[in-house]
Amino acid sequence: MKKSFPWFGMDIGGTLVKLVYFEPKDITAEEEQEEVENLKSIRRYLTSNTAYGKTGIRDVHLELKNLTMCGRTGNLHFIRFPTQAMHRFIQMGSDKNFSSLHTTLCATGGGAYKFENDFRTMADLELLKLDELDCLIHGLLYVDSVRFNGHPECFYLENPSDTQNSVKTPCSLADPFPMLLVNIGSGVSILAVYSKDDYKRVTGTSLGGGTFLGLCCLLTGCETFEEALDMASRGDSSNVDKLVRDIYGGDYERFSLQGSAVASSFGHMMSKQKRDSISKEDLARAMLVTITNNIGSIARMCAVNEKIERVVFVGNFLRINTVSTKLLAYAMDFWSKGQLKALFLEHEGYFGAVGAFLELLKSSEEP
Amino acid sequence: MSTSKMAAGCERVDSGHSMDKSITLPPDEIFRNLENAKRFAIDIGGSLTKLAYYSTVQHKVAKVRSFDHTAKETEGDPLYEISMQEEMSARLHFIKFENAYIETCLDFIKDHLVNTDTKVIKATGGGAHKFKDLIEKKLKLRVDKEDEMTCLIKGCNFVLRNITHEAFVYVKHADSEFRFQNTHPDIFPYLLINIGSGVSIFKVESEDTFERVGGSSIGGGTFWGLGALLTKTKRFDELLQLASKGQHTNVDMLVKDIYGGSYGSLGLTGDLIASSFGKSATPDKEFSKEDMAKSLLHMISNDIGQLACLYARLHNLTRVYFGGFFIRGHPVTMHTITYSINFFTKGEVQALFLRHEGYLGTIGAFLKGAEEDNPNQYSWGENYAGSSGLMSTSPDLNPMQRARSGTFDMLEMDRLERQLVNLPLLQDPSSYIPDTVDLSEDALAREYWLYCFEEALDGVVKRAVASQPDLPEAAERAEKFRHKYQHKLQTLRHQPFAYGSLTVRSLLDTREHCLNEFNFPDPYSKIKQGENDMALKYFQKAVKSLGELSWEQRQFALVRGLLAGNVFDWGAKAVSDVLESDPEFGFEHAKLQLEERPWLVDAYDQWLERLKGPPHKCALFFVDNSGIDIILGVFPFVRELICRGTEVVLASNSSPALNDVTNSELQILTERIAAMDLVIQSAVKEDRLTLVQSGSSSPCLDLSRLDKVLAGVVRERHVDLVIIEGMGRAIHTNYYAILSCESLKMAVIKNSWLADRLGGKLFSVVFKYEVPPGHKTTTLDHVPVTPS
């Protein structure tokens, strides 16, 4: 028996909900006639809009076209909205009588557990809860294998040591194992992945995307990730950070530290004078650099300890975030003297949702 | 005396508040021995200056000299004469004060510095360049800069090697927050994590081999800088104060905020922070300063802890020391770092902190300048009389009060005459703990012993004065001693952790240091002299009566004699009371006081069995008191061992402590006994009886700090029996010491409180005979004495 539509996969994180939706493009006239009204309206609502409510957004540029899955052909859509809007979303599911569609709602991420009861009581929906790290890995490997509309999903930065001129270069994950997978969401999880189903969580850090945004909001009064990144792109962190040369006048030769290296993040802010003279943009930039470098440093240490040379960075922190992408590529390369390679993926934060979606299809194949 | 308090150490870039700079320095207390000072070093941080210098201290020592006894002896002639001589010894002085006082201090030094040989002052620390001109102008010394990190590591090696209980583990909610660590005989390799404005991580492999293996820009400066931006609070201390009152869960996104509970499959608990400041990304909520400061503190401490663990794992190191202004004396940060390390290593690595962390830079800079004196070739010891000790870290104390209450903190270290090493016969030197009871963890015992030492103070003062009848100012000096020691006891009552773990040994040693400070090197010299004279007269009689006994009777009589002799001890209050009220209190009387068998701890039968077997190759005997103890107790016992064919090495104190017999006294006594007794005479002649110094000047015994020569003798002679006598050496210390050869620990409990604790009564006997497991001779059931 074929799995009935609609096909969704959902990843409910600490900050963002990621939703993938499969839009069948091979619907026959017969089917169209049989399609119940609310299923049709869901399909139309999702595919004819790129923004939903105040905060929901469809990442049109990420859409995967002409996928064939379980004998059906269609497009995979990528939608996100803040976790804060979760109750509104559930309410909508209730209003649209989603439960009458008898679909399985596959969900991963912490919210699958946190909101399970709300789905049940508010919308009469049962969630199929899935482990987020399983989903992340399965989704990542799947998207890499189907490629991004004919192009590679994966890329790295050529010439990472020169952050001004590093070039985004597509590549294939062809032989992906072992890899160190660094997932930067609100917090950070670092996994050593040896095969599709053999992995371990090496460590994690609470200094992640949530920290960047949270501190930026407190320091600059900004409200969104986009705003924070925009400010950061215009700021200069050396007004905020204390560099090696600020302490030693130049390089610290005794320990071969470059004068331009950051000695103390926000170190200049110990001085009132300096606090009074910096801009919000500088603060946002310093925040971004601090968080990014710290993740890079921990990832690098893990890679060395686990003896893995390929470091794959994913997660929504990297969305539209070229500053961090370049910094991570640079950090991996520079501190390992070229031993480590940083890889990135186009669908950054959606792999968990894709993984959940794949589980839905898998469950339909079983008798 | 309000001078010897540590200032709350925080480095300031901009001076947060002004301070009264026109202070009057009490010279007796602070820049001591300046007139002989040479080799200066200075470490100027953001807010504190640390000064170091070397000086020679002139002090009195008691010397004994044998009279010429070849001439016909007359009744009543003393055995030897005691004279006071002046000796010079080397001392290192380290003083820490607020940068605000730097000019006043330099002026003071200039005025008091007599020595003109010194041309250079070694300098390190971020502030060194700022004050360079001032120092050169005031002191007329050339400022010679040394690398900060190199100094730090040199200093760290020095304190780890020379100061007992330097390192500690911090336990916030325990009775004693500080768990002092045993010094491992090999201090290398270790990881040193310096948390200044940024973080530097060093791997130290030997005295001269170290490298900076990594670091992080998220450090103390990040906490301070971001904290100042978030809370508008300028001072580092105040930020910590805010943090200690905050709730981070209002600001941080926890695992349970995302999952609704824990993330069971990964073993992540619900309270774990998933995203620092993850809840603050909202425009419509206000967050309290306290909560933000707390969240920031957690974020930074966890991050540093995680990095430290990654480096520890990469380099396969388990000893990780933390320092830098972020840590310095701040219980809040020591706690969060400790927590983080425990979390990330699952308890495999412990965060270690140092008592003298703030001094490392200046110690290192000083050592750099003193290389030609080879300071690392000597053993050094912390002088408890001249050092301030670790201050209270009570978080209730307002940071402003903390900063102002204490201005000057001091550390003094004496160069020891002997190089000190482990007893080669310790089963496991790295786990050896000399002291039986840690008074810092045992409040009842602490209270008792502090009271006991206070009570005994009058008597000590009296004897100190009596020991120097020719010096009229002795009484005044003795009062100064009283004042100082009383103050130390007061300090220890409130801060039992001031000099590491508080123990009966450290209380005794502190008293010896204070006595020496005021030139009372040997208050018991006259008493010892009298007792030795008296006991010698009975020696031959005692040996003769022992000779009349059967072998088995004699063995028992020898042990009883040794124990009875040990009752004569001025160090024990119960006995000194009797001795003072009844000088006729005799040897026989002492024997009557002894507990009848079975003793409190009684391995006599096993010992007797052992004696029926082959003789020991060589016995090392740590002796205790002068007079009856050594002459009528120890010597007959030793004589019997010699007759059995066992060589004997008598180890006695290098310098005086209470009425314990010193090495120089013992030499005279041995000569005198040899003159009366052929067995002893030939043993001395044939080197079967040897005298060595222990290297100690304490009534207790630390087997990990013994004279290097002694250790050599132990190896050469293949010592297979160690005998430790007396309460100080066998009960207060070494009761649980495990040796790799047979050992005998004997003492009479001359303190009713201690007797009570051990389940016995006054004058109960401990006779502990131990054979290491797997040893050829029969193994025994030991009677454990566990202080309840």
Side-chain angles (χ1 to χ4, degrees):
Chain A
M1 189 196 132
K2 287 279 161 64
K3 196 77 195 173
S4 61
F5 290 120
W7 292 355
F8 281 114
M10 186 158 49
D11 176 4
I12 312 169
T15 310
L16 282 178
V17 180
K18 282 77 68 176
L19 193 70
V20 296
Y21 168 66
F22 183 82
E23 174 204 3
K25 295 297 257 186
D26 54 358
I27 298 176
T28 58
E30 197 182 341
E31 254 182 326
E32 178 123 26
Q33 231 157 28
E34 279 174 21
E35 194 177 27
V36 289
E37 198 45 48
N38 54 357
L39 179 58
K40 202 174 287 173
S41 84
I42 287 170
R43 178 159 58 93
R44 295 220 174 105
Y45 175 66
L46 289 177
T47 54
S48 59
N49 292 301
T50 57
Y52 315 95
K54 276 186 202 154
T55 49
I57 282 168
R58 181 155 63 91
D59 282 313
V60 184
H61 67 286
L62 292 179
E63 185 176 333
L64 291 177
K65 294 189 172 121
N66 288 315
L67 283 185
T68 302
M69 310 199 75
C70 292
R72 301 303 298 256
T73 304
N75 298 344
L76 200 56
H77 297 277
F78 296 86
I79 297 161
R80 60 184 153 88
F81 61 88
T83 309
Q84 281 174 341
M86 199 61 208
H87 282 121
R88 244 180 296 149
F89 177 80
I90 300 172
Q91 192 57 51
M92 190 179 75
S94 170
D95 296 346
K96 303 221 169 192
N97 202 11
F98 207 84
S99 61
S100 67
L101 296 170
H102 303 293
T103 185
T104 314
L105 207 46
C106 283
T108 186
Y113 296 80
K114 186 181 176 182
F115 295 106
E116 182 183 22
N117 204 38
D118 296 334
F119 271 99
R120 190 180 296 136
T121 54
M122 290 171 66
D124 191 26
L125 284 166
E126 281 301 319
L127 294 185
L128 178 60
K129 302 192 297 292
L130 300 159
D131 181 78
E132 64 173 298
L133 300 182
D134 288 341
C135 288
L136 171 66
I137 294 165
H138 294 166
L140 186 153
L141 293 172
Y142 172 77
V143 176
D144 181 65
S145 71
V146 298
R147 295 164 55 92
F148 184 15
N149 300 329
H151 302 285
E153 165 69 11
C154 183
F155 66 90
Y156 66 95
L157 297 189
E158 183 79 65
N159 205 8
S161 55
D162 181 1
T163 45
Q164 300 299 312
N165 299 304
S166 52
V167 186
K168 182 172 166 177
T169 313
C171 66
S172 164
L173 258 184
D175 181 17
F177 309 114
M179 70 170 156
L180 195 78
L181 183 56
V182 183
N183 185 31
I184 317 173
S186 314
V188 182
S189 271
I190 298 180
L191 319 177
V193 187
Y194 301 100
S195 76
K196 184 167 172 281
D197 297 303
D198 179 16
Y199 70 87
K200 65 172 178 185
R201 184 178 187 273
V202 179
T203 191
T205 167
S206 69
L207 283 80
T211 314
F212 165 65
L213 184 55
L215 276 169
C216 266
C217 290
L218 292 173
L219 293 176
T220 69
C222 73
E223 294 183 11
T224 65
F225 183 64
E226 287 77 3
E227 226 183 306
L229 277 185
D230 178 57
M231 280 200 284
S233 69
R234 287 179 278 119
D236 179 358
S237 58
S238 70
N239 294 331
V240 177
D241 294 340
K242 201 176 251 188
L243 308 185
V244 168
R245 66 163 174 262
D246 294 326
I247 301 174
Y248 295 98
D251 296 351
Y252 190 3
E253 280 161 19
R254 175 73 180 77
F255 299 108
S256 23
L257 287 174
Q258 290 180 318
S260 60
V262 183
S264 173
S265 297
F266 286 80
H268 276 325
M269 299 298 93
M270 291 187 274
S271 138
K272 182 171 190 311
Q273 210 181 338
K274 287 254 166 71
R275 282 200 294 276
D276 293 342
S277 71
I278 35 100
S279 69
K280 289 179 173 182
E281 285 76 12
D282 293 344
L283 288 172
R285 177 65 165 230
M287 206 63 247
L288 187 61
V289 170
T290 302
I291 297 292
T292 306
N293 277 339
N294 190 57
I295 294 169
S297 166
I298 293 170
R300 188 179 59 85
M301 286 301 294
C302 289
V304 175
N305 275 339
E306 301 299 325
K307 302 181 177 61
I308 298 177
E309 290 181 358
R310 191 171 4 205
V311 186
V312 181
F313 292 94
V314 297
N316 266 321
F317 175 66
L318 295 172
R319 192 173 66 78
I320 59 169
N321 187 352
T322 47
V323 172
S324 294
T325 308
K326 286 181 173 186
L327 270 177
L328 289 170
Y330 170 80
M332 289 307 109
D333 180 74
F334 180 82
W335 292 106
S336 73
K337 300 188 175 72
Q339 283 292 298
L340 297 178
K341 190 162 190 182
L343 297 172
F344 305 89
L345 296 166
E346 299 284 1
H347 286 81
E348 295 126 355
Y350 281 109
F351 300 115
V354 174
F357 166 72
L358 292 173
E359 280 301 309
L360 171 80
L361 301 189
K362 198 196 274 177
S363 67
S364 71
E365 282 160 8
E366 283 154 16
Chain B
M1 195 178 77
S2 64
T3 51
S4 56
K5 295 260 179 72
M6 189 179 84
C10 75
E11 306 208 25
R12 281 193 307 277
V13 170
D14 45 0
S15 179
H17 62 273
S18 61
M19 214 176 292
D20 180 17
K21 295 181 188 184
S22 56
I23 50 152
T24 321
L25 297 175
D28 296 353
E29 303 292 348
I30 299 171
F31 295 102
R32 310 200 311 163
N33 303 308
L34 257 185
E35 51 289 3
N36 301 315
K38 58 172 189 171
R39 299 209 187 288
F40 284 85
I42 196 163
D43 172 10
I44 308 178
S47 70
L48 293 175
T49 297
K50 284 79 70 173
L51 183 80
Y53 57 89
Y54 168 98
S55 79
T56 45
V57 187
Q58 189 174 28
H59 58 92
K60 289 189 167 53
V61 285
K63 292 275 178 188
V64 290
R65 194 168 63 88
S66 185
F67 284 123
D68 184 7
H69 288 281
T70 49
K72 193 169 164 269
E73 279 177 53
T74 48
E75 197 69 16
D77 260 359
L79 176 65
Y80 52 82
E81 66 170 343
I82 309 160
S83 63
M84 288 293 164
Q85 291 177 18
E86 298 286 334
E87 250 184 30
M88 299 296 261
S89 65
R91 186 173 290 179
L92 301 183
H93 301 255
F94 304 101
I95 302 116
K96 181 159 69 184
F97 50 87
E98 300 253 352
N99 287 355
Y101 299 132
I102 198 162
E103 199 162 343
T104 317
C105 290
L106 291 175
D107 280 334
F108 183 87
I109 293 166
K110 181 188 66 190
D111 294 344
H112 290 78
L113 192 62
V114 182
N115 185 313
T116 49
D117 293 352
T118 305
K119 301 259 188 303
V120 172
I121 179 165
K122 289 282 179 188
T124 187
H129 67 272
K130 196 171 144 196
F131 292 96
K132 182 173 182 282
D133 293 342
L134 185 71
I135 297 167
E136 296 198 328
K137 193 183 89 198
K138 295 268 182 198
L139 295 186
K140 309 266 185 292
L141 297 176
R142 180 164 55 80
V143 172
D144 192 4
K145 271 212 80 175
E146 286 291 339
D147 175 67
E148 200 172 341
M149 298 300 162
T150 310
C151 290
L152 201 67
I153 287 155
K154 269 197 154 326
C156 191
N157 292 340
F158 187 80
V159 296
L160 285 175
R161 196 180 297 117
N162 290 291
I163 301 188
T164 42
H165 292 166
E166 175 61 32
F168 61 88
V169 167
Y170 185 77
V171 194
K172 189 183 178 185
H173 296 296
D175 283 344
S176 55
E177 308 161 89
F178 307 94
R179 296 258 164 89
F180 293 99
Q181 302 294 295
N182 218 16
T183 310
H184 195 279
D186 186 6
I187 61 170
F188 305 110
Y190 65 85
L191 214 54
L192 176 65
I193 307 206
N194 190 58
I195 315 175
S197 48
V199 180
S200 280
I201 301 176
F202 297 95
K203 178 187 177 185
V204 186
E205 285 177 292
S206 77
E207 184 59 46
D208 300 304
T209 329
F210 65 89
E211 65 174 312
R212 185 185 188 275
V213 289
S216 166
S217 68
I218 300 185
T222 314
F223 176 71
W224 196 346
L226 257 177
L229 287 169
L230 289 170
T231 68
K232 315 282 179 244
T233 303
K234 290 175 200 144
R235 285 172 50 85
F236 181 71
D237 286 36
E238 286 171 42
L239 275 170
L240 284 180
Q241 192 78 3
L242 279 180
S244 65
K245 286 183 277 184
Q247 278 294 330
H248 76 102
T249 53
N250 294 334
V251 182
D252 290 342
M253 187 182 281
L254 310 185
V255 166
K256 69 179 169 207
D257 293 322
I258 302 176
Y259 272 80
S262 64
Y263 185 177
S265 63
L266 285 181
L268 305 178
T269 60
D271 289 328
L272 201 69
I273 305 171
S275 175
S276 294
F277 287 88
K279 279 183 193 158
S280 67
T282 164
D284 39 51
K285 218 181 140 192
E286 287 283 312
F287 297 92
S288 81
K289 290 178 177 186
E290 287 82 0
D291 293 351
M292 289 189 290
K294 176 73 158 212
S295 184
L296 188 62
L297 176 68
H298 275 296
M299 174 180 111
I300 287 167
S301 300
N302 285 338
D303 192 54
I304 296 169
Q306 178 171 30
L307 218 55
C309 294
L310 287 168
Y311 280 99
R313 195 172 305 151
L314 180 65
H315 297 279
N316 202 18
L317 296 172
T318 51
R319 272 175 282 176
V320 183
Y321 299 100
F322 286 87
F325 82 74
F326 184 69
I327 295 292
R328 202 156 299 159
H330 299 298
V332 188
T333 54
M334 288 196 284
H335 174 64
T336 51
I337 286 284
T338 300
Y339 181 88
S340 170
I341 294 284
N342 280 341
F343 174 79
F344 284 109
T345 68
K346 298 178 180 71
E348 276 171 39
V349 173
Q350 282 190 314
L352 297 168
F353 305 97
L354 301 168
R355 272 202 290 144
H356 299 99
E357 191 277 322
Y359 285 110
L360 302 186
T362 190
I363 293 175
F366 173 82
L367 292 172
K368 273 289 215 179
E371 266 162 3
E372 65 189 68
D373 292 341
N374 267 326
N376 272 328
Q377 190 190 287
Y378 299 94
S379 289
W380 298 80
E382 180 181 13
N383 188 308
Y384 298 143
S387 302
S388 311
L390 195 62
M391 286 297 121
S392 171
T393 56
S394 167
D396 307 331
L397 214 57
N398 177 312
M400 294 298 271
Q401 281 171 354
R402 282 182 60 177
R404 293 191 184 203
S405 67
T407 309
F408 292 89
D409 183 86
M410 284 168 293
L411 165 66
E412 292 187 6
M413 295 187 69
D414 290 318
R415 191 173 79 194
L416 308 179
E417 281 170 40
R418 324 287 297 187
Q419 210 176 338
L420 304 181
V421 297
N422 273 308
L423 178 69
L425 296 168
L426 281 176
Q427 180 85 285
D428 176 16
S430 61
S431 68
Y432 168 72
I433 297 167
D435 306 287
T436 306
V437 180
D438 184 343
L439 301 181
S440 24
E441 286 183 6
D442 186 335
L444 274 177
R446 178 167 74 238
E447 211 165 294
Y448 171 76
W449 286 108
L450 283 169
Y451 165 79
C452 211
F453 276 85
E454 243 158 28
E455 286 292 291
L457 194 49
D458 274 340
V460 177
V461 168
K462 213 170 85 189
R463 270 183 292 279
V465 177
S467 71
Q468 298 178 356
D470 310 332
L471 300 171
E473 35 59 84
E476 198 190 319
R477 258 190 294 126
E479 279 311 308
K480 282 187 182 166
F481 153 74
R482 179 208 297 278
H483 183 79
K484 180 124 193 183
Y485 190 57
Q486 217 153 33
H487 183 261
K488 288 281 168 194
L489 291 174
Q490 281 306 322
T491 307
L492 289 168
R493 199 178 285 278
H494 299 295
Q495 289 139 225
F497 46 78
Y499 302 99
S501 292
L502 183 69
T503 60
V504 173
R505 176 168 64 111
S506 73
L507 284 167
L508 284 163
D509 289 352
T510 306
R511 189 165 74 188
E512 294 301 327
H513 291 177
C514 291
L515 280 166
N516 279 319
E517 187 68 49
F518 294 98
N519 269 318
F520 292 107
D522 197 357
Y524 289 83
S525 54
K526 297 265 189 272
I527 291 166
K528 289 189 285 183
Q529 186 188 34
E531 285 177 349
N532 286 335
D533 278 343
M534 197 261 290
L536 267 177
K537 296 191 178 86
Y538 294 99
F539 178 74
Q540 276 167 312
K541 194 176 153 199
V543 169
K544 185 163 174 281
S545 67
L546 283 163
E548 286 159 5
L549 300 172
S550 72
W551 180 84
E552 202 155 319
Q553 283 174 327
R554 186 166 70 247
Q555 301 315 311
F556 186 59
L558 283 166
V559 168
R560 254 176 77 84
L562 212 150
L563 291 166
N566 196 241
V567 172
F568 291 85
D569 185 357
W570 286 89
K573 190 172 157 26
V575 180
S576 61
D577 286 349
V578 184
L579 281 173
E580 246 166 323
S581 62
D582 178 15
E584 295 302 314
F585 185 82
F587 194 35
E588 293 310 315
H589 191 140
K591 284 183 192 165
L592 291 176
Q593 296 276 352
L594 281 186
E595 181 187 26
E596 286 300 319
R597 287 194 64 200
W599 294 320
L600 180 59
V601 177
D602 193 338
Y604 179 74
D605 292 340
Q606 289 86 340
W607 171 244
L608 188 69
E609 274 312 299
R610 175 63 189 86
L611 287 180
K612 290 174 184 166
H616 295 93
K617 165 81 182 61
C618 180
L620 170 67
F621 200 134
F622 288 97
V623 300
D624 189 7
N625 307 309
S626 308
I628 291 175
D629 188 346
I630 182 76
I631 295 165
L632 302 181
V634 175
F635 262 98
F637 188 92
V638 163
R639 191 178 179 279
E640 182 78 10
L641 284 175
I642 291 168
C643 293
R644 272 170 60 80
T646 302
E647 293 173 18
V648 177
V649 178
L650 289 180
S652 53
N653 273 359
S654 299
S655 321
L658 292 174
N659 63 328
D660 292 5
V661 64
T662 64
N663 185 255
S664 43
E665 287 159 358
L666 190 55
Q667 274 173 15
I668 295 170
L669 295 181
T670 308
E671 269 171 42
R672 292 289 293 137
I673 290 170
M676 294 186 269
D677 185 287
L678 284 175
V679 175
I680 301 293
Q681 193 178 69
S682 61
V684 171
K685 231 179 245 165
E686 292 156 22
D687 223 13
R688 284 181 289 117
L689 176 61
T690 318
L691 307 185
V692 293
Q693 308 192 23
S694 65
S696 161
S697 50
S698 166
C700 293
L701 180 64
D702 179 354
L703 295 176
S704 67
R705 277 168 80 82
L706 291 177
D707 194 326
K708 202 175 178 182
V709 175
L710 184 150
V713 170
V714 165
R715 278 196 204 89
E716 262 167 46
R717 304 265 168 127
H718 302 289
V719 167
D720 56 353
L721 173 66
V722 173
I723 303 171
I724 307 176
E725 182 210 5
M727 228 167 50
R729 291 175 182 77
I731 306 279
H732 291 316
T733 53
N734 299 310
Y735 192 77
Y736 297 115
I738 303 169
L739 301 176
S740 58
C741 67
E742 288 172 59
S743 65
L744 209 47
K745 295 168 190 168
M746 290 182 274
V748 180
I749 315 284
K750 289 161 288 189
N751 171 295
S752 54
W753 183 89
L754 184 65
D756 228 34
R757 268 243 165 160
L758 298 172
K761 48 192 192 302
L762 196 63
F763 300 118
S764 275
V765 168
V766 169
F767 187 90
K768 209 177 180 190
Y769 169 58
E770 290 165 307
V771 180
H775 207 265
K776 268 180 230 145
T777 38
T778 46
T779 353
L780 307 161
D781 290 328
H782 310 304
V783 186
V785 176
T786 318
S788 50

